Amino acid sequence: MIFRHFLLSKNLKQTKFIFNNFRPLEENLRLNFTHANLFGDHLVKFRFLCGGLSVNNVRTYCSGKDGEGSNEWTEDIDYLDESGKFLYRGKGIRSVEPGIDDHVMVGGVKRPFLNASAVAKIVEIVKRWRWGPDMETQLDKLQFVPNMVHVTQALKVVGDGEASLSLFRWAKRQTWYAPSDECYATLFDTLNGSRDFDGIQAMFDELILDSEKSGISSTFSSYNKVIQYLAKAEKLEVSFCCYKKIQESNCKIDTQTYNCLITLFLNKGLPYKAFEIYESMELAGCSLDGSTYELMIPSLAKSGRLDAASKLFQEMKAKGLRPGYAIFAALVDSMGKAGRLDTSMKVYMEMQGFGLRPSATMFVSLIDSFVKAGKLETALKLWDEMKKAGFRPNYGLYTMIVESHAKSGKLEIAMSVFSDMEKAGFLPTPSTYSCLLEMHAATGQVDFAMKLYNSMTNAGLRPGLSTYTSLLTLLAKKKLVDLAAKVLLEMKAMGYSVDVSASDVLMVYIKDASVDLALRWLRFMGSSGIRTNNFIVRQLFESCMKSGLYESARPLLETYVNSAAKVDLILYTSILAHLVRCQEEDNEKHLMLILSATRHKAHTFMCGLFTGPEQRKQPVLSFVREFFQGIDYEMEEGAAKYFVNVLLNYLVLMGQINRARCVWKVAYENKLFPKAIVFDQHIAWSLDVRNLSVGAALIAVVHTLHRFRKRMLYYGVVPRRIKLVTGPTLKIVIAQMLSSVESPFEVSKVVLRAPGDSVLEWFKKPIVQQFLLNEIPSRADILMHKLNTLFPSSAPELRSLSPPKALISGRAV
């Protein structure tokens, strides 16, 4: 190298001195002097300095081309020192033809170019020219024939992506080019280092074409590098496309490549695509390594494919591979969330057997799973383990433990953990306070509930609507009206709408039959500007009616009516039923005023029913028919039946038998009781009064027997038997009424029956005719006394559309 330096610098004196002093290294200089073109240019000058050679001598080439004479030089060269003293005589180094010969001639011996020298020359040219025609011209002038080994080694040294690609393109155009897996792999390494992923994709396409032409694609491993580099660069679509092309080429894909693809899809949030890659991996028979298991088991577990995750977990252990913490954490968490608590706990214990320490996150996951499954004892054990392991429970975990135990009714444990939570410096959320407060309220613990409520408000937290509702309900049930009023006003000050909550408290008092407290609460609501709804006003009105507080009931009804609420026929009938039962004159006055306050059309009808024909200006029967024509039977059929039953009770007690018969007749005409009377030709006639009140049943019996009498006496139709179906309650009442006129009806379990002939003879008696026509004989007071004694009470508390049972069964007043 020193010699070459001085030769190039044309310092002939120094060059000759060095040559004479380094004669023992002559052979080495010859072998390492690879720059044949430089050597050829300076060979004559060198020989002239060394002596024994004329400058007019002509070179001949080893190949014999373009040269004259023999292919070998025959003259010897004398090597002299600076003083001209003879040193050595031998044959010189001869040049070769560029691009054709693969050796140099050292004397008479052919010496091949060293690979290192060839690679160094290629690298020198590429680094100097980098790309373009100049570089290719210099490569074409190489004094040796390169091969793919030279190119590959040069690519490893060059390192520059653009220059490497230029060298590769030049090599592909040479006749000696052959596809090389190592060459492509080196190129992909270089392009990846320079982040030239477009270049990688382009080279991949060239690799596919080369492999198809050469037919040796299955031996190429550089395919895998392409996918790995693209996957690590998160080039999802490109890497997957290359993966598919490799599959189509039937090339073998290695485990690392599969792992890179799986990792890419998992990182992109596409677990099911990653599972598809994994399934392809299994079908290809590619063995799984530790990284594959570490990737797949957590992913399968988190996506809910627990059986597949468990299978891989067992397979991994069977291969002697040690599962990492991520696998245990994923299995414990996923199994717990899926409700497989036994499996989750088993994996947790197994992890500890491997010497791995549970993390705080794992403890939280386990505790959460057992809490949600209702297994609070196990959750508490894990809670204690967590604290013993040195982990400090966080805010969310405290909240979970407190609320779960509170909701399950374990208030002592909940309060104990709640106290620890406060000592740990955590401020409980409104949700935690509310949960504890509501559970204490549900169990009726007023003191604890109020203590929590005060603690919550003192902490500056705003109780929720459900919390206020629970607390107010508790205070209402405990009849703490003043305290409930205080809490309600605080609730209003918090900005909540309190109308509904106040009404709920009012309903608690109404359902508890605490009418005095309900009225007191209603007065508080009025003084505080809190309104309630018409339904609750009606409920309170009816409660007052049941309790006999008629003076308090009337203002409520007036409020109800004045608020545009409509009094329906059922409500009016219930008030009339109270009047029927009433035995005190003062209460009757209040009830009449209440009936008047309803402003219902039934009250107008009642007033007109008791006036004379001059004031009504029409007969009673027409008047009754007109009223019943105004009823919407599709909507109010049940209410109309209820009204008829109570009205007939009232009319019978008032002694208005004719009016009562008119009401019954019109009700039957309007098919309110369509199955009451049945004519079975000459076999049997029957009357069914089981669905009627006592008054209605008595009037129905009298009116129907009168109809039977007319049929039998005037038309001569006599049935074999006549039945009065009464049921067990009305049986005695009707039997006693008929016994006063010596009827032939025999009393059985629920029926009064008599032969038709006997009834016909009975109908012929004058007293019976007078009885049926309401021309009561002088002993009629006996009959009316029995009616008053046996008359039932009504039941206004029933709100069904069917006639209330109390009106059917009845009880004596």
Side-chain angles (χ1 to χ4, degrees):
M1 292 299 292
I2 299 173
F3 175 76
R4 177 189 171 198
H5 170 74
F6 285 101
L7 186 62
L8 291 175
S9 64
K10 301 182 181 179
N11 190 331
L12 302 182
K13 183 177 181 181
Q14 290 180 356
T15 302
K16 184 176 180 181
F17 171 79
I18 291 170
F19 187 84
N20 290 331
N21 284 279
F22 285 89
R23 184 174 179 278
L25 300 177
E26 178 195 18
E27 195 67 23
N28 289 332
L29 285 171
R30 291 170 179 171
L31 294 177
N32 291 291
F33 198 53
T34 59
H35 299 281
N37 56 343
L38 181 63
F39 176 80
D41 293 339
H42 297 278
L43 184 58
V44 175
K45 185 184 295 184
F46 177 72
R47 285 176 176 173
F48 175 77
L49 289 172
C50 294
L53 182 65
S54 173
V55 295
N56 296 320
N57 287 340
V58 180
R59 298 186 297 179
T60 53
Y61 297 94
C62 292
S63 62
K65 295 181 181 180
D66 300 329
E68 297 179 359
S70 175
N71 291 333
E72 294 188 3
W73 290 344
T74 57
E75 69 276 12
D76 293 333
I77 298 175
D78 293 335
Y79 297 93
L80 307 175
D81 61 10
E82 285 188 345
S83 63
K85 184 178 179 180
F86 176 81
L87 293 176
Y88 173 74
R89 174 174 292 179
K91 294 185 181 295
I93 300 175
R94 282 164 286 177
S95 61
V96 296
E97 187 173 354
I100 296 178
D101 293 316
D102 58 354
H103 60 275
V104 295
M105 296 297 296
V106 180
V109 182
K110 289 184 179 180
R111 294 293 178 89
F113 284 101
L114 294 178
N115 284 338
S117 301
V119 171
K121 182 59 179 175
I122 295 173
V123 171
E124 178 187 347
I125 293 173
V126 172
K127 283 191 173 182
R128 180 178 180 183
W129 300 101
R130 295 183 61 84
W131 65 278
D134 291 339
M135 185 193 77
E136 294 181 1
T137 300
Q138 294 299 322
L139 289 172
D140 290 338
K141 290 181 180 180
L142 286 172
Q143 301 297 323
F144 56 90
V145 180
N147 56 39
M148 289 308 297
V149 174
H150 297 154
V151 173
T152 301
Q153 294 301 319
L155 289 174
K156 291 180 180 179
V157 177
V158 170
D160 180 75
E162 185 178 7
S164 296
L165 284 174
S166 298
L167 175 59
F168 179 74
R169 304 271 185 237
W170 172 81
K172 283 195 72 176
R173 293 194 294 271
Q174 307 307 310
T175 57
W176 43 263
Y177 171 79
S180 168
D181 183 49
E182 185 181 3
C183 180
Y184 273 108
T186 304
L187 269 174
F188 289 136
D189 290 339
T190 303
L191 292 172
N192 179 64
S194 60
R195 311 297 290 173
D196 185 4
F197 299 110
D198 292 335
I200 290 178
Q201 188 178 356
M203 287 304 302
F204 175 78
D205 293 336
E206 289 190 30
L207 174 60
I208 293 288
L209 293 175
D210 271 359
S211 62
E212 289 176 354
K213 291 177 181 178
S214 62
I216 55 172
S217 59
S218 60
T219 62
F220 278 32
S221 62
S222 51
Y223 285 119
N224 290 286
K225 281 198 171 186
V226 173
I227 299 177
Q228 291 171 25
Y229 290 147
L230 291 174
K232 290 176 181 177
E234 297 187 350
K235 304 292 183 180
L236 189 145
E237 294 181 0
V238 177
S239 60
F240 187 71
C241 181
C242 293
Y243 163 72
K244 285 296 185 183
K245 287 182 179 179
I246 294 176
Q247 275 190 324
E248 293 169 1
S249 300
N250 295 321
C251 293
K252 185 178 180 181
I253 303 175
D254 60 24
T255 302
Q256 187 179 358
T257 302
Y258 277 117
N259 290 345
C260 288
L261 280 172
I262 291 171
T263 303
L264 173 62
F265 281 106
L266 290 177
N267 291 339
K268 290 294 185 179
L270 300 169
Y272 290 98
K273 204 67 181 175
F275 300 155
E276 182 182 319
I277 300 292
Y278 163 70
E279 290 167 0
S280 300
M281 184 179 183
E282 283 191 322
L283 291 174
C286 185
S287 61
L288 280 66
D289 61 5
S291 299
T292 313
Y293 287 114
E294 293 286 345
L295 285 170
M296 290 307 304
I297 294 175
S299 301
L300 288 168
K302 291 174 183 177
S303 64
R305 299 173 66 173
L306 299 179
D307 293 334
S310 297
K311 179 183 176 183
L312 278 183
F313 181 60
Q314 299 302 327
E315 183 182 309
M316 181 182 187
K317 292 187 294 181
K319 288 183 177 180
L321 298 174
R322 179 185 175 89
Y325 175 79
I327 291 179
F328 284 109
L331 287 174
V332 168
D333 182 64
S334 301
M335 292 291 180
K337 288 178 178 177
R340 300 185 183 183
L341 300 180
D342 293 338
T343 306
S344 179
M345 185 58 72
K346 180 181 176 182
V347 175
Y348 166 72
M349 300 301 292
E350 190 174 352
M351 181 193 72
Q352 291 179 316
F354 274 90
L356 296 174
R357 182 171 177 261
S359 67
T361 305
M362 182 176 288
F363 276 117
V364 171
S365 175
L366 277 169
I367 293 170
D368 179 65
S369 299
F370 280 95
V371 163
K372 289 179 178 177
K375 297 186 176 182
L376 300 182
E377 293 181 2
T378 308
L380 275 181
K381 289 180 181 178
L382 290 167
W383 169 271
D384 293 335
E385 284 184 27
M386 180 179 180
K387 291 193 290 186
K388 288 178 182 178
F391 293 113
R392 182 172 180 259
N394 59 18
Y395 172 78
L397 200 57
Y398 268 116
T399 302
M400 184 194 308
I401 292 293
V402 171
E403 293 186 8
S404 61
H405 282 81
K407 291 175 181 177
S408 63
K410 298 180 179 181
L411 294 178
E412 292 183 5
I413 298 175
M415 288 302 295
S416 174
V417 178
F418 178 76
S419 177
D420 293 341
M421 181 180 181
E422 289 183 316
K423 291 177 182 177
F426 292 115
L427 177 64
T429 63
S431 172
T432 306
Y433 272 116
S434 298
C435 180
L436 286 170
L437 196 156
E438 289 171 19
M439 293 309 299
H440 280 93
T443 55
Q445 300 182 38
V446 178
D447 294 338
F448 280 107
M450 286 304 301
K451 182 180 177 180
L452 287 166
Y453 170 74
N454 292 328
S455 175
M456 186 176 184
T457 53
N458 291 336
L461 298 177
R462 186 173 183 256
L465 184 60
S466 61
T467 305
Y468 273 117
T469 301
S470 299
L471 184 58
L472 288 171
T473 302
L474 171 63
L475 296 175
K477 288 180 179 178
K478 295 295 183 179
K479 296 181 173 57
L480 300 173
V481 180
D482 294 335
L483 191 55
K486 175 179 175 294
V487 172
L488 187 71
L489 292 176
E490 290 177 0
M491 179 182 176
K492 185 178 181 180
M494 286 283 186
Y496 288 104
S497 175
V498 296
D499 291 352
V500 175
S501 299
S503 298
D504 291 341
V505 173
L506 185 57
M507 279 301 299
V508 171
Y509 292 134
I510 293 172
K511 291 179 180 178
D512 196 41
S514 303
V515 181
D516 292 336
L517 292 178
L519 292 171
R520 181 181 169 189
W521 183 260
L522 185 64
R523 287 193 293 272
F524 157 72
M525 289 175 62
S527 63
S528 302
I530 303 171
R531 300 179 60 183
T532 187
N533 56 58
N534 290 327
F535 173 80
I536 295 179
V537 171
R538 176 169 172 168
Q539 295 294 317
L540 182 55
F541 166 74
E542 292 176 0
S543 296
C544 290
M545 295 292 291
K546 290 178 190 177
S547 302
L549 302 175
Y550 302 126
E551 292 186 21
S552 300
R554 183 183 169 190
L556 292 172
L557 183 63
E558 290 175 346
T559 302
Y560 182 75
V561 174
N562 292 334
S563 62
K566 183 180 179 182
V567 175
D568 54 23
L569 188 57
I570 289 180
L571 181 59
Y572 181 85
T573 305
S574 68
I575 301 170
L576 181 61
H578 282 285
L579 181 63
V580 171
R581 289 200 304 267
C582 184
Q583 294 180 348
E584 297 179 6
E585 186 176 351
D586 291 340
N587 288 338
E588 285 183 359
K589 292 179 181 178
H590 286 300
L591 288 169
M592 291 302 294
L593 291 173
I594 291 172
L595 284 171
S596 177
T598 61
R599 302 178 189 174
H600 195 274
K601 61 181 180 180
H603 188 67
T604 306
F605 167 72
M606 288 284 294
C607 294
L609 193 62
F610 283 91
T611 57
E614 297 83 7
Q615 293 175 312
R616 281 195 311 269
K617 298 181 181 179
Q618 58 181 329
V620 174
L621 187 60
S622 301
F623 183 68
V624 173
R625 280 177 176 157
E626 183 178 330
F627 172 75
F628 277 91
Q629 286 174 358
I631 295 176
D632 183 359
Y633 291 101
E634 291 185 3
M635 300 294 295
E636 299 182 291
E637 182 179 359
K641 289 180 181 179
Y642 181 26
F643 178 69
V644 168
N645 277 291
V646 175
L647 178 59
L648 289 176
N649 272 348
Y650 182 65
L651 291 175
V652 169
L653 283 180
M654 296 296 292
Q656 301 296 323
I657 306 301
N658 281 332
R659 290 178 171 81
R661 290 182 67 170
C662 289
V663 171
W664 168 255
K665 183 176 181 180
V666 174
Y668 185 75
E669 288 174 355
N670 286 279
K671 298 181 181 180
L672 283 176
F673 308 98
K675 297 180 180 179
I677 302 173
V678 177
F679 294 100
D680 190 4
Q681 298 299 328
H682 298 282
I683 299 174
W685 296 349
S686 65
L687 170 65
D688 190 345
V689 295
R690 287 175 295 180
N691 292 329
L692 301 178
S693 64
V694 176
L698 295 177
I699 294 299
V701 168
V702 173
H703 185 76
T704 304
L705 288 177
H706 178 62
R707 290 185 62 186
F708 289 172
R709 179 176 179 277
K710 289 175 65 175
R711 274 178 172 255
M712 294 171 70
L713 294 180
Y714 291 102
Y715 301 108
V717 180
V718 179
R720 293 180 187 176
R721 60 183 179 275
I722 294 178
K723 294 191 300 181
L724 302 176
V725 184
T726 61
T729 305
L730 297 175
K731 175 179 64 177
I732 298 174
V733 178
I734 294 174
Q736 288 184 359
M737 179 187 72
L738 294 178
S739 65
S740 63
V741 286
E742 302 175 353
S743 74
F745 288 95
E746 295 180 357
V747 181
S748 64
K749 292 183 179 181
V750 293
V751 177
L752 276 67
R753 57 165 56 91
D757 296 336
S758 301
V759 174
L760 177 61
E761 295 301 324
W762 182 62
F763 280 157
K764 293 178 180 179
K765 295 180 180 181
I767 190 173
V768 174
Q769 180 182 3
Q770 292 177 358
F771 171 71
L772 297 177
L773 292 174
N774 288 330
E775 295 177 2
I776 306 299
S778 58
R779 291 186 299 173
D781 56 337
I782 299 174
L783 174 62
M784 294 307 297
H785 172 72
K786 290 180 180 179
L787 290 177
N788 287 329
T789 303
L790 298 172
F791 205 83
S793 62
S794 300
E797 64 274 8
L798 296 177
R799 288 292 168 265
S800 64
L801 294 179
S802 58
K805 186 176 179 181
L807 294 176
I808 299 171
S809 57
R811 56 185 173 85
V813 178

